[in-house]
Amino acid sequence: MNLKDISTSVPKKDHKGKVSGQLPYISDVKVENMVYGVLYRSPIAYGKIISIQLPNLPDGYEAVGAEHIPGPNYVKIIKEDQPIFANEWVNYIGEPILMLTGKDLDILYSLLNEVKVEFEEHQAIYTLDEAIKQKSVSLVLASYEFGESLENISAIEQGAHQIIEEEYDTGYQEHVYLEPQGMLAVYKDDEIVVQGSMQCLYYIKNALLSALACGDDEVRVVQSPTGGGFGGKEDYPSMMACHVAVAARAVKKSVMLVFDRSEDMLVTTKRHPAKLKYRTALDKEGNILSMYVDIFLDGGANVGLSSVVLQRALLNSAGVYKIPHFHAKGYVLKTNTVPNGAFRGFGAPQSFAGIESHIGHLSKLAKIDPLAYKRKYLVKQGDPTITKGKFRDPILVEEMIEDVLNVSEYKKKKEDFQRLNQQNQRYKKGIGTSLFLHGCGFTGSGERDHIKAKVKLVKSKDDQVSLKISNSDMGQGILTTLCKIVAKELNLPFEDILYPYPDTKEVPDSGPTVASRTTMIVGKLLERAAKKLKNQWQTGVEQEVVEHYVHREMIPWDEKTFTGDAYPAYSWGVNIVEVEVDTLTGNLKLEKVYGNYEVGKVIDERIMKGQIDGGLAQGLAYGYLEKMTSKQGRIQQKSISDYGPPTSLDIVSIESKVFDNPYADGPYGAKGAGELTLIGGAPAVQAAIEDALHTSFQQIPITPEVIIESLWMKEGEEG
Amino acid sequence: MIEKITAYRFERLDETLSQLNREDCAIIAGGTDVMVLHKSRRGVPPKIPKPIVFINHLSELKQVYQHHKDLHIGACCTYSELLENPLIPFALKNAIKTIAAPAIRNRGTLGGNICNASPAGDMLPLLYVYNAKLLLRSVNGDRMVAISDFIQGPRQVQRFHNEMVTEIILPFVLGDSHVVFEKVGNRNADTIAKVSFAGFVRISKDRIDDIRFAFGAVGPTMVRSIDIEKKLIGKTIPLADADIAEIVAAFDKIIRPIDDQRSTAAYRKTVALHLLRYFLSMKQYQPN
C-alpha cells in the first residue's frame, strides 16, 4: 500500500495477532528451567523490620531477598529511595520484602502464608491532608515555585474588589491496562534476558545494570507484546525487572513474575491524588487581576517520578489562559501509601480539572457564560507562557471552539435544558465545556540533556528495511504509525517495513515511550533517517543509518528558576459534554460528547480516533465514575467492578474532529496526541454536572455519593 | 501438583437427586458465582471443597409454563433464555437487563441467583415483591418455601444438602399491577448493586388493594415489611403527603446499610428512601 496522504488508515501491524488471540503476551510464555516468583509484601504501612523467619522450603523452592542483590538495593529511577527488597524499613502496605521461587504456584502461595516477619510498627501518614497538616520538611519529596513576585501579588490583592479562594481535590486513578504487569528473566550463564510488558526498555536496562552491578553485555531487555500501559508500565516495570533478574541470578533459573488483577490494583502505581488551592483577585466586573496557585501531590511512599509529575502539573496550572500576575508553588508530599507514578497526562489532568473548575466558578461570579469568560483569557500565538517561554506556533483553538459550538448547538441546548429541567423534577440535563492543551515531549531540556535519542534503520541484503528503536507499542499503534512514516519517505509499501519488538541488544536508546514524544520526536528522527537511507540507497547491499536528536534552541529551560520554554510544541483540544443527572440517585448519564483537537498532523486517522475515544473515556471516567480509595494505607478497590471503569453502556459515541496545523519539527507536521485526549474529559463533565444542578463542586470524581450529599444531605435528611 | 476433582453430570434430574442424597455436593448451574467464590490466586484453579454436580443442562429445570395461572420458571433457565421468553413479565426482564453483561447472562441462572443469596442479588427485590415461592425437590419429595423464608442471610439458604431448587413460582395476581425495579450501581453494566428497589402496587378505582416494597443491598437480606405495607391498603391515589412521610419514616427506621468499598451507608439509605418516596408519589400507576 502506497499512501498519498499519510493520514489515510491502514490495517494495524499487530491487528491479526490481537484479533485472533494468537499473539502471546508475557504470561503465555514458558521457557525451559523456569520457576515462578511470588512476593512477600509488607502487611503494615510504616515500620522497621526486626526479623524474618522463613518456613522450611521444599526442594526446588528458594527465597530471594535484599542479600541477593549484587548492586545497591534500590530501583534506579531518579532518586535512590525505592528499595528493590525492603530490608530495614517498610513504607507502605504491599512493599516487597522478599520473593519465593519454585515450580508450583499453589505451593508458593501456601509457603507465602508461612513467612513470618516481625516489625516495629511506627505511626504512618495515610492521607495527603494529614501530610499537609504536618508541615514537616521531611515529608517534602519535591517542590518548585515560580511566577510573579509575591509582593506584587499582595499589592494587587490589596487593591482588588474581591478575592476568591477555592480548594480543589482530585482522587486516585488506576490505569486498568487490559494486561496486568508481568516480567520474565531468562537465565543464561553469561546473560540475563528480561522480557515483559513495558514502555521503557532502557529505564529497565539501566535499573538492571545498577541492581546486578554487571557489564553492559550481561543484561538484555526485550519488550513483549504489551496490552496497555497508560504510564503504568513506565516506571513500575523497573522494579519487577529487578525482582526477576536478581532472583534469576540467585537461583540460576528463569523466573516469571506475573500479577493477577487484584495484586496489580493493590500495589502498582496510580495517578497522584492532588489538592489544588487557588487565590484569585477580581475587579468589580469579575475580571481576573492576579492568581496564586498551590499544588500538593500525594507522592505515596517514595518519590519515583513524582518530581517530574509535579513539574507538569505546575506548567499546566494556568490552563490555556493568559492570566495576569500569576504565581504558582507545588509540593510532592510523602505518605505511607502505594507509590504514585506516571499516568497518561502526568500531572496535567489534575491541574486542568482544577483550573477549569476555578475559571468556571469565576465566570458564575461575573455572570458570564463559562465559555465566553474562558475565551477572554485564551492564549494567542506569540503570547508568553507562565514560565516566560513563548507560544510560537499558530493556535487554532478559537476556530475549534466555533466549530464545536455549531456542531453541538451549544446555545440552543443551554436554553432547551433550562426549560426541560423546570418540567422534570427527577432528571436534570446540563452541558459543559473544557479547553486544554498538552505540551509535547519531555519537559524543558530533557530531550537534549537526559534522553539524547538515537534511532537506527537497517536494510538487509534483500532490501528489507527494519526500524531499530527502543519504543514500545502498548496498543497506541506505533508499530503502524512509525512504519508508515518510514514507508512514505522511502516510497515503499507500508507492509514491507519491519518493526520487530525491540531488544536492547539490537536497538539504540531512542528514549522511553512516554510524554506524547514518540510520534513527534522519534517519528521525526525516523523521517530524517529514512531520507538519509533513500539518498544512500544501494540495491542488494546491507545498509545502516543512524540519526541523533537535534535540539532546536528556544528560550532555554532552567529547572531551578522554572523559566524558559517548557515544551517545544503544544497540542490543543476542546470538549463539550452533555449529561443527564438523576437527582434521586445521583447517577449520571452521558448524553453527547464532542471533541475537537489539533495535533499538528494525523499520522493515521483510525489510530487517532482510537486515542480520542479511549482517552476521552478515561478522562470522563476520571471526572465522575472511577473511584479508588485508600483506608489506613490499604487500597479498597481490588477488582475492576468495584473500581468501575466505564463499559460500552456508559460511554456514548464521541463526535470528534481533528484540525490540521503542521508543526515544523514533527514528522509530516505531527505533534503529540496520546495524552491530550484524556485531559479535557473530567473538567467538561464537571462543568456539565454543575450546569444541570446549578451547584458547584470542588472535587473529582463527582460520584453519585458526592452529588447526593451536595443535593440532599446538607439540607437535612430527606430535604 | 495434580489434584483430583470429582464431578457429576447426570442426564436426568432424578439421578442427580439420588447422588445429592448420597453425598454433599457443590451444585453448579451457571457457575458464575461458585467459580468466583472459590477463586484462587493467579495460576491456581478454583478450590471447591466438595464434589461438583452440574445441573445446567437438565431439561427438567429449564421449563417455563403457567399452571393454575401461576408462572413456573425452571431454576436453570439462564437470564438470556428468560429475556427471550414471552411468559416472563416485563419488569423481570428489565431487571435481567441490568445483570452483568451478555456473557454472564448466557451462563447465570435465576435459581443460582437465589441460592447464592447475595445481599445485592439483582433478581431478589422483584422476586420478594412478587411473593415468589420456591419448589425444592429431593428423593423424599417436594416442598414449597416462600423466598423470604428460604433466604436467611448472606449466602445462607434453607436448603438441605439433598435438595435442589427446581422451580421459582410467581403466584397469580388478580387484576392489573404496576411493578418497578431500579438498580443503582456504579456504572451501567458489570456492576454490583449499591442499592436496589422493587415496588409493586395493585389498584382498583383509585384505591390501593395491594402494595409491596423490597430493598436490596441495604441489609444482610432484602428488606421488606408487610406491616408497613398494610398501612397503605385502602388508601386512595395520589397518596397524601402525610401518608408518604409516615411510610418513608417507617423504612428509615429499619433500613440499616453499611459502608464498604462500593458506597457509603449514608448514600445507600438516602437513595433507598428517595426511590421509595418517588414510587409513592406517583400520580398514577400504569399496569405493566
Side-chain angles (χ1 to χ4, degrees):
Chain A
M1 198 180 300
N2 283 314
L3 299 166
K4 258 199 200 136
D5 183 352
I6 188 96
S7 306
T8 308
S9 292
V10 298
K12 283 173 86 173
K13 284 261 183 207
D14 50 358
H15 177 80
K16 274 188 191 157
K18 284 183 174 170
V19 170
S20 66
Q22 294 298 303
L23 191 70
Y25 291 84
I26 192 62
S27 67
D28 299 317
V29 174
K30 284 200 170 63
V31 295
E32 245 180 274
N33 201 19
M34 182 180 99
V35 292
Y36 291 101
V38 293
L39 292 165
Y40 179 85
R41 299 177 176 285
S42 172
I44 66 163
Y46 185 38
K48 213 170 174 176
I49 299 173
I50 303 296
S51 69
I52 298 176
Q53 205 187 323
L54 294 171
N56 286 328
L57 297 173
D59 257 8
Y61 290 79
E62 290 173 75
V64 181
E67 66 278 16
H68 295 96
I69 305 168
N73 183 12
Y74 63 84
V75 182
K76 195 175 170 199
I77 293 179
I78 295 175
K79 287 199 176 141
E80 304 169 3
D81 71 339
Q82 184 184 346
I84 296 169
F85 291 114
N87 58 341
E88 291 168 15
W89 288 86
V90 288
N91 280 289
Y92 65 96
I93 292 174
E95 182 161 19
I97 293 174
L98 58 89
M99 179 188 261
L100 298 180
T101 63
K103 281 243 178 245
D104 191 308
L105 280 167
D106 205 2
I107 294 172
L108 286 169
Y109 295 143
S110 56
L111 290 171
L112 216 45
N113 285 333
E114 296 170 38
V115 174
K116 291 203 168 46
V117 180
E118 200 190 325
F119 298 95
E120 175 189 297
E121 216 170 327
H122 288 243
Q123 180 57 48
I125 293 172
Y126 294 119
T127 64
L128 182 57
D129 279 331
E130 283 173 51
I132 293 171
K133 259 189 222 137
Q134 294 241 338
K135 286 189 177 161
S136 157
V137 185
S138 64
L139 295 180
V140 177
L141 299 177
S143 74
Y144 303 97
E145 184 167 9
F146 68 99
E148 180 78 57
S149 81
L150 291 175
E151 293 77 46
N152 285 358
I153 298 252
S154 66
I156 291 164
E157 285 176 351
Q158 271 164 23
H161 172 70
Q162 199 179 2
I163 290 169
I164 302 299
E165 290 191 77
E166 282 200 291
E167 225 179 87
Y168 188 82
D169 294 303
T170 68
Y172 274 120
Q173 190 173 23
E174 158 63 34
H175 307 87
V176 213
Y177 24 67
L178 266 180
E179 180 207 17
Q181 305 265 6
M183 204 63 73
L184 166 68
V186 179
Y187 178 79
K188 294 175 186 169
D189 287 337
D190 55 348
E191 185 187 52
I192 303 269
V193 183
V194 171
Q195 57 190 80
S197 196
M198 62 179 74
Q199 293 176 229
C200 310
L201 279 80
Y202 276 91
Y203 281 6
I204 292 177
K205 177 154 182 195
N206 292 333
L208 291 173
L209 286 175
S210 162
L212 298 179
C214 67
D216 196 65
D217 54 351
E218 292 173 79
V219 282
R220 212 168 116 194
V221 179
V222 185
Q223 187 215 348
S224 311
T226 299
F230 309 112
K233 291 169 185 170
E234 174 173 349
D235 39 353
Y236 197 82
S238 295
M239 176 148 85
M240 292 178 76
C242 289
H243 289 152
V244 290
V246 166
R249 249 306 160 78
V251 305
K252 298 192 175 356
K253 287 173 194 152
S254 297
V255 178
M256 175 80 93
L257 175 64
V258 180
F259 294 169
D260 58 20
R261 182 64 64 185
S262 69
E263 186 171 18
D264 195 300
M265 290 186 79
L266 291 174
V267 304
T268 64
T269 50
K270 332 244 161 260
R271 189 185 302 290
H272 296 72
K275 182 181 283 296
L276 302 102
K277 295 183 181 180
Y278 299 88
R279 197 174 78 224
T280 303
L282 300 176
D283 71 9
K284 254 188 260 163
E285 285 77 41
N287 296 308
I288 299 170
L289 301 176
S290 69
M291 189 183 286
Y292 180 104
V293 182
D294 257 333
I295 297 178
F296 300 89
L297 297 183
D298 180 346
N302 49 53
V303 66
L305 295 170
S306 296
S307 58
V308 196
V309 174
L310 176 63
Q311 287 176 23
R312 207 181 261 272
L314 285 167
L315 291 167
N316 288 292
S317 54
V320 293
Y321 308 113
K322 188 181 172 187
I323 306 286
H325 309 291
F326 185 84
H327 184 98
K329 196 160 97 182
Y331 303 90
V332 177
L333 298 181
K334 176 174 170 163
T335 59
N336 295 108
T337 57
V338 169
N340 296 308
F343 196 142
R344 194 181 200 174
F346 211 72
Q350 293 93 322
S351 268
F352 271 95
I355 189 71
E356 287 293 279
S357 165
H358 183 57
I359 299 274
H361 297 162
L362 296 179
S363 78
K364 286 179 199 170
L365 285 173
K367 299 193 171 61
I368 299 177
D369 174 76
L371 191 54
Y373 189 83
K374 288 174 182 178
R375 288 170 89 171
K376 291 204 306 180
Y377 294 97
L378 200 56
V379 292
K380 294 181 186 60
Q381 185 177 15
D383 277 349
T385 68
I386 51 173
T387 57
K388 299 177 183 156
K390 196 172 164 186
F391 289 105
R392 277 189 182 70
D393 299 316
I395 296 172
L396 308 187
V397 178
E398 276 295 345
E399 260 178 87
M400 290 153 64
I401 294 172
E402 278 305 321
D403 179 83
V404 74
L405 286 179
N406 284 332
V407 172
S408 65
E409 300 182 289
Y410 177 81
K411 283 200 177 120
K412 184 176 172 295
K413 294 239 172 86
K414 273 227 142 178
E415 288 160 17
D416 289 353
F417 289 176
Q418 262 194 332
R419 206 182 50 248
L420 287 169
N421 289 348
Q422 275 167 5
Q423 292 159 5
N424 197 328
Q425 285 311 300
R426 179 166 180 181
Y427 297 99
K428 306 286 182 188
K429 288 176 189 286
I431 186 164
T433 66
S434 63
L435 308 180
F436 48 99
L437 58 73
H438 195 70
C440 308
F442 264 83
T443 301
S445 51
E447 293 288 346
R448 184 192 62 197
D449 299 339
H450 302 301
I451 307 297
K452 299 171 189 153
K454 188 171 154 188
V455 306
K456 191 158 57 166
L457 287 178
V458 173
K459 180 167 87 68
S460 64
K461 264 188 195 148
D462 49 1
D463 293 334
Q464 278 251 293
V465 176
S466 302
L467 276 63
K468 300 287 181 183
I469 54 172
S470 63
N471 296 96
S472 298
D473 192 313
M474 56 192 115
Q476 89 282 39
I478 62 168
L479 288 179
T480 307
T481 48
L482 296 181
C483 287
K484 280 177 83 175
I485 291 169
V486 172
K488 187 157 170 70
E489 212 49 58
L490 290 171
N491 204 17
L492 287 173
F494 153 76
E495 295 82 354
D496 291 1
I497 309 295
L498 305 179
Y499 180 174
Y501 278 92
D503 172 343
T504 55
K505 205 173 181 181
E506 304 282 329
V507 303
D509 187 356
S510 55
T513 316
V514 303
S516 302
R517 67 180 287 278
T518 308
T519 305
M520 185 175 89
I521 305 275
V522 183
K524 187 69 184 180
L525 289 176
L526 286 168
E527 186 196 62
R528 277 176 23 211
K531 271 199 178 103
K532 204 164 161 188
L533 179 62
K534 198 179 178 185
N535 288 335
Q536 308 171 356
W537 190 278
Q538 290 172 280
T539 305
V541 178
E542 238 180 68
Q543 283 179 287
E544 196 178 290
V545 293
V546 172
E547 275 291 320
H548 294 267
Y549 177 72
V550 182
H551 198 69
R552 179 163 71 135
E553 247 347 305
M554 299 171 293
I555 300 166
W557 174 252
D558 182 339
E559 194 184 303
K560 287 212 175 64
T561 58
F562 227 72
T563 55
D565 275 314
Y567 301 101
Y570 300 86
S571 291
W572 303 84
V574 180
N575 284 150
I576 289 188
V577 170
E578 295 171 35
V579 300
E580 184 183 84
V581 184
D582 181 342
T583 58
L584 295 186
T585 64
N587 271 0
L588 189 84
K589 193 168 124 205
L590 290 177
E591 302 227 290
K592 290 259 185 187
V593 177
Y594 304 90
N596 276 359
Y597 300 93
E598 189 267 280
V599 295
K601 171 78 181 168
V602 169
I603 299 296
D604 187 285
E605 279 160 359
R606 197 185 297 120
I607 287 176
M608 182 64 206
K609 183 61 176 160
Q611 290 298 314
I612 293 173
D613 289 359
L616 245 176
Q618 206 165 28
L620 292 163
Y622 180 48
Y624 82 99
L625 199 63
E626 296 182 7
K627 170 99 179 160
M628 184 166 263
T629 50
S630 169
K631 195 171 158 190
Q632 304 288 99
R634 205 179 290 277
I635 297 285
Q636 297 295 293
Q637 293 75 16
K638 55 179 181 174
S639 71
I640 289 182
S641 66
D642 282 350
Y643 174 59
T647 68
S648 57
L649 290 187
D650 296 285
I651 299 295
V652 286
S653 92
I654 292 165
E655 217 169 298
S656 61
K657 200 177 285 177
V658 189
F659 288 61
D660 260 9
N661 186 20
Y663 164 61
D665 287 335
Y668 297 90
K671 299 186 284 194
E675 293 172 281
L676 175 77
T677 55
L678 179 144
I679 294 169
V685 91
Q686 176 179 343
I689 297 170
E690 292 188 350
D691 184 51
L693 301 177
H694 296 285
T695 175
S696 294
F697 291 92
Q698 315 292 341
Q699 73 193 88
I700 50 166
I702 303 173
T703 58
E705 283 76 4
V706 173
I707 289 174
I708 288 300
E709 191 179 345
S710 117
L711 284 181
W712 301 83
M713 291 179 186
K714 281 175 191 159
E715 299 164 21
E717 196 69 24
E718 282 302 291
Chain B
M1 197 164 58
I2 294 166
E3 272 174 73
K4 220 166 138 189
I5 292 166
T6 308
Y8 305 103
R9 189 176 186 278
F10 299 103
E11 285 308 311
R12 294 198 320 266
L13 178 60
D14 56 357
E15 297 169 294
T16 311
L17 291 171
S18 303
Q19 187 60 40
L20 285 180
N21 200 49
R22 280 191 287 272
E23 194 175 11
D24 186 10
C25 295
I27 300 176
I28 292 191
T32 58
D33 287 313
V34 179
M35 295 299 280
V36 176
L37 187 65
H38 297 288
K39 192 166 77 171
S40 303
R41 284 184 66 176
R42 199 194 84 81
V44 176
K47 288 186 177 156
I48 301 173
K50 298 176 191 174
I52 296 162
V53 176
F54 291 103
I55 59 167
N56 59 323
H57 58 289
L58 296 172
S59 59
E60 296 100 318
L61 303 178
K62 294 182 87 73
Q63 313 296 320
V64 179
Y65 60 94
Q66 265 169 332
H67 182 67
H68 299 313
K69 296 188 176 174
D70 293 344
L71 181 64
H72 292 242
I73 304 170
C76 277
C77 292
T78 67
Y79 298 122
S80 299
E81 286 162 354
L82 295 177
L83 278 179
E84 301 283 308
N85 194 302
L87 291 174
I88 300 299
F90 190 65
L92 215 55
K93 285 185 177 174
N94 271 346
I96 289 171
K97 286 178 194 159
T98 70
I99 293 178
I104 295 290
R105 295 202 289 265
N106 289 341
R107 294 283 316 169
T109 65
L110 189 57
N113 197 235
I114 294 166
C115 291
N116 187 51
S118 160
D122 284 322
M123 299 310 293
L124 303 182
L126 272 181
L127 294 175
Y128 272 62
V129 299
Y130 278 122
N131 288 334
K133 294 192 178 90
L134 310 176
L135 185 66
L136 285 130
R137 183 167 292 174
S138 72
V139 290
N140 304 323
D142 290 354
R143 66 182 177 114
M144 196 89 92
V145 187
I147 188 163
S148 51
D149 293 330
F150 182 70
I151 295 177
Q152 307 269 299
R155 300 190 194 286
Q156 284 170 14
V157 294
Q158 211 198 59
R159 181 182 71 82
F160 299 111
H161 76 76
N162 68 342
E163 282 181 317
M164 263 170 62
V165 173
T166 56
E167 286 183 2
I168 295 93
I169 299 155
L170 306 187
F172 174 66
V173 176
L174 188 72
D176 288 328
S177 58
H178 174 94
V179 183
V180 301
F181 173 70
E182 301 218 35
K183 171 178 172 179
V184 182
N186 61 348
R187 54 181 185 174
N188 294 331
D190 264 334
T191 184
I192 294 169
K194 298 194 286 193
V195 191
S196 55
F197 170 77
F200 170 106
V201 62
R202 193 161 50 79
I203 288 158
S204 59
K205 292 180 191 146
D206 288 344
R207 294 173 76 86
I208 295 176
D209 279 351
D210 193 355
I211 191 160
R212 312 164 190 171
F213 322 102
F215 300 85
V218 292
T221 61
M222 300 302 109
V223 174
R224 190 178 164 190
S225 165
I226 289 165
D227 288 342
I228 298 175
E229 290 168 5
K230 272 187 197 153
K231 294 182 184 177
L232 288 168
I233 309 288
K235 303 264 184 193
T236 49
I237 296 297
L239 287 167
D241 287 349
D243 289 332
I244 295 173
E246 189 195 342
I247 300 299
V248 171
F251 274 106
D252 192 353
K253 289 207 185 81
I254 61 168
I255 291 177
R256 288 190 202 89
I258 54 163
D259 283 328
D260 67 7
Q261 77 278 17
R262 286 191 278 275
S263 189
T264 63
Y267 174 83
R268 288 184 158 110
K269 183 157 187 168
T270 307
V271 171
L273 297 180
H274 280 174
L275 295 173
L276 171 66
R277 179 186 288 273
Y278 184 74
F279 181 72
L280 294 173
S281 307
M282 291 173 90
K283 299 282 181 282
Q284 51 182 355
Y285 297 89
Q286 298 293 336
N288 59 2

